[in-house]
Amino acid sequence: MKSKLTFLLLIISLQVKAQVLSGTVVDSRSGESLPGATVRVQGKDKAVFTDGRGRFSLTTTDSLATYPLIVSYTGYDNDMLTDQPAGAVTIRLKPQQGLDEVVVTGTLKPVSRAESPIPVEIFTPKFFKKNPSPSLFDAVGMINGVRPQLNCNVCNTGDIHINGMEGPYTLVLIDGMPIVSALSTVYGLSGIPNSIVERLEVVKGPAASLYGSEAMGGIINVITRSPQNAPRFSVDLMATSWQEYNTDLSFKARMGKVQTLLGVSYYNYQQPYDRNHDGFTDVTLQNRISVFNKWDFTRIDNRVASIAARYVYEDRWGGQMDWSRAWRGSDSIYGESIYTSRWELIGQYQLPLKEKIMTQFSVIGHHQDSYYGTVPFLADQKVAFAQLYWDKQWGRHSLLAGASFRYTYYNDNTPGTATVSGEDAPSRTPLPGVFIQDEWSLHRRHKLLLGYRFDYDRVHHAIHSPRLAYKWSPDDRNTLRASFGTGFRVVNLFTEDHAALTGARKVEIEEALKPERSYNSNLNYVLQLPLGNNFINVDATAFYSYFTNKITGDYNTDPNKILYRNLSGHAISQGISLNLSMTFSIPLHIMAGATYMDVYQMNRDAGSGLMVRSNQLFAPKWSGNYAITYTLPYRWIIDLTGQLNGPMRLPLQKDDYRPEYSPLYCLANIQLTKKIGSGLELYGGVKNLLNFVPKETFMRPFDPFDKQVNDPVSNPKGYTFDTEYNYAPLQGIRGFAGIRYMLR
């Protein structure tokens, strides 16, 4: 009887001591609930997740003074609860300011963004959702100093400009692997499912000491989600009033020790519009599908092993409104039609050794079947890349040493891959290289980075690429970075310049082209300024790049030709960029940036022998971006975003009546989002709110084959059909609406 009574008293005692803790986890500034946040007992194997409204309930017999609650959520600082609250508690988590995020692009190894001696900018899908786009190519226009440039009004071919430098100077990576070179600049970002993207890392300026050829103007590294951290299922459906339709979905699965993530993106636009009444489609019609599949393998000691594959197919055309496939390649109705088929295989594997030795590889195949009017462009490219590097921590030194090999096969139907007699001569370019890097922590506040790379090209021989960077943090709020680096590019002209392919002008190469070189320096300053419950982050950079052997296209000497040669002088890209991020105690967040740049070249005039300055085409003197977010009650969010561009120089014909510089313009957008339950969002808004559309973009659109170009009565100045005068999309104001769902 006594033992039974003791047992009963023990049960009652435990029930008395048991605590039921309940509450809600919210954003400290916007008040928005945070579904899926983790509430766990420190030191115990006990945790719960918040529901769709951010609510939780946890039963525990432990004292919070001994075993406090830890509340965590991705993108927010952790919070700790140590006292028993009276009734339900509201836990307010503060958003992280981003400086403690891990980056890999600047140094090829994971490092805290705050500790990196190389300035790296990070952008997550949450940022790009403020102005949803069907591809990352369009989305990166929201980044200060990064500009997606459409190079043709007919086929909408484009590239990515960083600090005013043309697309071939921008290296695009997926998970650190170079997946874009020459032929596929635009396809590196247009066919990546947004649902599988974890973040974008952007480095501005040359980085050849780590990444070799093409990393002259900057790097965009697309970091994909790990299957382990990705949601179980996500879908994003969007449509516009121009009858554009986009589907983006992903799901993950586990099969034993293998986790897989599948992403699919499909974009369809088949309704031709001619709102500016020039007889041509305003926007290229497209049918694009992209499939991405990634596998992660569980290994001993958490060693890395992953492989991913991507396939992109696109059918794109633009031209006269009555064009159809029956007119492809004919001289009756003008059209530009591009079929693209591209596949990629990338992977990385950590060797089963005590030392950290990583192997990485990528294999790419790209086929393009195009017609620009009557001119065909048929091209095949295959690129194989392999890299091995050793990562070693030795005292205050973080060492990195490795070797890489890139092999590029390229063939097309242009003179670029033909002998003097006209026989087919595909380009085969092996490019081996070795590199070494040392991050030296001189002091808690001082860090020095030294790097060097050696590449050997059989045509250009030895190529040396040194690198130097220094970081000084006098306190926790101020950081100063200074860096110097070099870049080089082994050139394949026809694959990089759309103007050479359109058939509107004849291409002439006046000399044997030499490899381009660049020398870059920049000074970066970051200030973190907490003001009570408000926070301001200032990021300012001054940059200077000097280019030699720069390849230029001369559009002015002969309106019927593009003349290519190495610059008999030098080119300069210099300027200042400023980024501001402001978070307030009210549910308001403002991100704004502005870049002023002076991009020009000095070329020796053949007649006078004097150096003549000319401003870079399609490089605005200044540009800006903004994203303003305000959270309303009942989980409504309003986003106002925009891009501003100052005047930029445009290619003209002789005695051209069109202005040489574009006007100042702004592409503004507004979006309203409603969050419903757990993981469901409805959104809609208006793009190009100010309805800005360029004027007089085509020359003689009524005679695209130049059949009447020599008529002295109707064309006394000899103008020819030309599509290169382009500085902004021809798509006017349009509405959009969509739905997102994410199952964690």
Side-chain angles (χ1 to χ4, degrees):
M1 181 68 182
K2 184 176 180 181
S3 61
K4 291 182 179 180
L5 181 61
T6 302
F7 179 74
L8 180 62
L9 291 175
L10 178 61
I11 295 297
I12 295 174
S13 175
L14 290 175
Q15 290 179 342
V16 170
K17 291 183 180 180
Q19 306 176 70
V20 179
L21 304 175
S22 63
T24 306
V25 181
V26 301
D27 184 299
S28 64
R29 294 184 173 91
S30 68
E32 179 185 352
S33 59
L34 300 177
T38 303
V39 182
R40 61 182 176 88
V41 181
Q42 187 179 42
K44 298 286 186 177
D45 187 18
K46 189 175 185 63
V48 296
F49 296 96
T50 57
D51 63 15
R53 296 184 179 181
R55 301 174 302 186
F56 72 92
S57 179
L58 176 68
T59 302
T60 178
T61 58
D62 300 306
S63 167
L64 293 184
T66 306
Y67 298 101
L69 294 185
I70 305 296
V71 184
S72 60
Y73 190 75
T74 302
Y76 290 77
D77 293 330
N78 292 352
D79 196 8
M80 180 180 292
L81 187 66
T82 57
D83 297 319
Q84 171 64 34
V89 63
T90 299
I91 301 174
R92 304 180 184 276
L93 298 185
K94 293 182 179 180
Q96 293 176 347
Q97 303 306 325
L99 293 178
D100 289 331
E101 295 174 290
V102 173
V103 295
V104 297
T105 306
T107 59
L108 204 63
K109 60 168 66 178
V111 62
S112 165
R113 183 186 177 196
E115 293 299 319
S116 173
I118 305 297
V120 181
E121 299 179 34
I122 298 177
F123 302 92
T124 65
K126 183 178 180 180
F127 172 71
F128 296 121
K129 287 178 181 177
K130 298 176 185 295
N131 178 32
S133 301
S135 73
L136 288 177
F137 175 79
D138 299 315
V140 295
M142 297 177 64
I143 302 174
N144 182 29
V146 179
R147 184 171 178 272
Q149 168 64 36
L150 291 178
N151 296 327
C152 175
N153 286 324
V154 178
C155 68
N156 286 174
T157 297
D159 52 28
I160 306 296
H161 292 200
I162 295 181
N163 288 342
M165 301 311 301
E166 302 97 315
Y169 298 90
T170 300
L171 180 64
V172 178
L173 312 170
I174 291 185
D175 292 334
M177 293 291 96
I179 56 93
V180 171
S181 59
L183 185 62
S184 51
T185 301
V186 66
Y187 301 100
L189 293 175
S190 64
I192 299 176
N194 295 337
S195 58
I196 57 92
V197 176
E198 179 177 310
R199 67 185 186 275
L200 261 65
E201 297 182 1
V202 179
V203 175
K204 298 172 182 176
S209 64
L210 277 184
Y211 295 99
S213 178
E214 283 133 28
M216 290 184 70
I219 297 171
I220 298 177
N221 192 3
V222 182
I223 308 296
T224 62
R225 293 181 184 271
S226 165
Q228 182 177 356
N229 301 325
R232 283 187 288 175
F233 174 77
S234 71
V235 62
D236 190 339
L237 306 174
M238 186 179 76
T240 75
S241 59
W242 280 52
Q243 300 183 47
E244 300 166 283
Y245 303 100
N246 188 71
T247 300
D248 200 281
L249 59 88
S250 72
F251 66 89
K252 71 174 183 179
R254 173 184 285 274
M255 296 171 286
K257 294 184 177 181
V258 180
Q259 295 187 83
T260 181
L261 174 65
L262 176 67
V264 179
S265 175
Y266 178 67
Y267 175 74
N268 183 277
Y269 171 61
Q270 298 298 323
Q271 180 60 50
Y273 285 106
D274 181 21
R275 300 286 174 84
N276 62 355
H277 308 294
D278 58 10
F280 278 71
T281 54
D282 294 339
V283 180
T284 300
L285 282 73
Q286 300 180 53
N287 191 20
R288 181 181 68 238
I289 186 167
S290 173
V291 180
F292 181 92
N293 201 183
K294 184 176 185 179
W295 298 268
D296 278 0
F297 301 88
T298 303
R299 300 177 61 206
I300 298 175
D301 297 329
N302 292 321
R303 292 191 178 99
V304 176
S306 69
I307 190 170
R310 182 171 75 122
Y311 176 76
V312 182
Y313 176 79
E314 184 177 58
D315 177 1
R316 185 172 82 249
W317 76 267
Q320 293 178 289
M321 291 291 289
D322 54 349
W323 186 90
S324 68
R325 298 186 194 281
W327 303 108
R328 194 172 194 256
S330 73
D331 65 351
S332 299
I333 301 177
Y334 188 89
E336 296 186 1
S337 171
I338 299 97
Y339 302 150
T340 298
S341 177
R342 176 178 175 86
W343 58 268
E344 301 160 358
L345 185 66
I346 61 177
Q348 54 182 339
Y349 181 80
Q350 183 177 351
L351 298 183
L353 303 173
K354 183 178 180 181
E355 298 289 337
K356 185 177 181 180
I357 300 178
M358 297 291 299
T359 60
Q360 298 175 314
F361 74 90
S362 64
V363 185
I364 302 162
H366 188 113
H367 176 74
Q368 189 155 322
D369 178 348
S370 311
Y371 268 91
Y372 301 88
T374 59
V375 178
F377 177 64
L378 309 174
D380 278 292
Q381 184 181 46
K382 295 179 177 62
V383 182
F385 175 84
Q387 180 167 270
L388 174 74
Y389 67 87
W390 172 54
D391 184 357
K392 177 68 174 179
Q393 189 69 36
W394 181 48
R396 294 186 176 183
H397 297 267
S398 181
L399 300 173
L400 192 74
S404 67
F405 180 80
R406 183 188 299 187
Y407 180 85
T408 303
Y409 168 89
Y410 177 76
N411 193 20
D412 63 24
N413 63 320
T414 72
T417 56
T419 63
V420 177
S421 60
E423 296 178 358
D424 189 35
S427 169
R428 294 177 172 87
T429 308
L431 191 63
V434 294
F435 58 90
I436 186 169
Q437 176 181 275
D438 179 22
E439 281 187 71
W440 185 6
S441 296
L442 303 172
H443 182 267
R444 187 171 66 91
R445 302 289 186 183
H446 300 267
K447 180 173 287 189
L448 179 67
L449 183 144
L450 301 170
Y452 171 76
R453 183 183 182 97
F454 174 83
D455 292 273
Y456 185 84
D457 180 78
R458 62 186 179 185
V459 176
H460 311 303
H461 306 300
I463 303 174
H464 307 274
S465 303
R467 187 187 203 186
L468 172 67
Y470 173 72
K471 183 185 78 73
W472 174 46
S473 300
D475 52 47
D476 293 335
R477 295 185 180 181
N478 296 271
T479 301
L480 187 69
R481 295 178 174 92
S483 63
F484 168 82
T486 63
F488 72 94
R489 189 165 68 96
V490 178
V491 177
N492 192 327
L493 173 67
F494 285 84
T495 63
E496 298 164 348
D497 194 337
H498 169 266
L501 310 176
T502 60
R505 298 190 183 198
K506 183 179 179 181
V507 173
E508 290 188 3
I509 303 174
E510 297 193 332
E511 60 186 9
L513 299 176
K514 301 176 183 178
E516 298 182 345
R517 295 301 307 260
S518 69
Y519 307 88
N520 170 269
S521 61
N522 65 61
L523 188 65
N524 173 255
Y525 172 66
V526 176
L527 169 65
Q528 303 175 69
L529 193 60
L531 300 172
N533 289 327
N534 305 316
F535 184 88
I536 299 177
N537 187 84
V538 181
D539 191 327
T541 301
F543 58 89
Y544 177 87
S545 294
Y546 181 95
F547 296 83
T548 62
N549 292 336
K550 190 173 187 296
I551 294 177
T552 61
D554 180 358
Y555 293 77
N556 300 320
T557 301
D558 188 330
N560 297 307
K561 296 180 179 180
I562 308 176
L563 307 176
Y564 286 98
R565 65 179 77 92
N566 283 112
L567 191 68
S568 59
H570 61 271
I572 300 292
S573 172
Q574 59 187 355
I576 299 174
S577 69
L578 176 66
N579 290 309
L580 297 176
S581 177
M582 296 168 282
T583 305
F584 303 93
S585 55
I586 60 175
L588 174 66
H589 184 209
I590 298 176
M591 297 180 68
T595 297
Y596 173 82
M597 55 190 177
D598 187 19
V599 186
Y600 64 93
Q601 57 192 30
M602 300 296 295
N603 196 21
R604 190 174 303 279
D605 182 73
S608 64
L610 299 176
M611 299 298 290
V612 179
R613 170 177 168 142
S614 61
N615 291 333
Q616 173 68 48
L617 293 171
F618 306 114
K621 277 286 186 181
W622 66 270
S623 61
N625 306 74
Y626 59 88
I628 303 172
T629 300
Y630 191 86
T631 303
L632 302 167
Y634 306 106
R635 306 182 74 188
W636 288 91
I637 301 172
I638 187 168
D639 292 294
L640 181 64
T641 60
Q643 307 161 31
L644 297 93
N645 284 281
M648 67 184 79
R649 180 171 166 253
L650 303 171
L652 297 177
Q653 297 190 31
K654 185 179 181 181
D655 298 323
D656 204 319
Y657 58 85
R658 299 170 297 184
E660 184 179 6
Y661 285 83
S662 64
L664 163 69
Y665 69 92
C666 174
L667 301 178
N669 318 284
I670 190 169
Q671 175 184 247
L672 187 64
T673 303
K674 169 63 175 175
K675 296 191 174 184
I676 304 173
S678 176
L680 180 63
E681 294 181 4
L682 302 178
Y683 62 91
V686 179
K687 289 178 177 287
N688 198 356
L689 193 61
L690 304 179
N691 197 28
F692 175 80
V693 178
K695 298 179 180 179
E696 300 181 316
T697 53
F698 286 167
M699 180 66 79
R700 293 176 59 83
F702 52 85
D703 186 23
F705 297 101
D706 288 336
K707 293 182 179 181
Q708 302 162 16
V709 71
N710 296 318
D711 188 336
V713 177
S714 64
N715 190 27
K717 294 188 177 181
Y719 294 139
T720 61
F721 175 66
D722 196 4
T723 65
E724 306 307 319
Y725 187 92
N726 181 53
Y727 53 91
L730 294 176
Q731 197 170 20
I733 188 171
R734 59 202 182 277
F736 68 93
I739 181 172
R740 298 189 191 100
Y741 177 70
M742 181 181 295
L743 177 64
R744 296 183 181 275

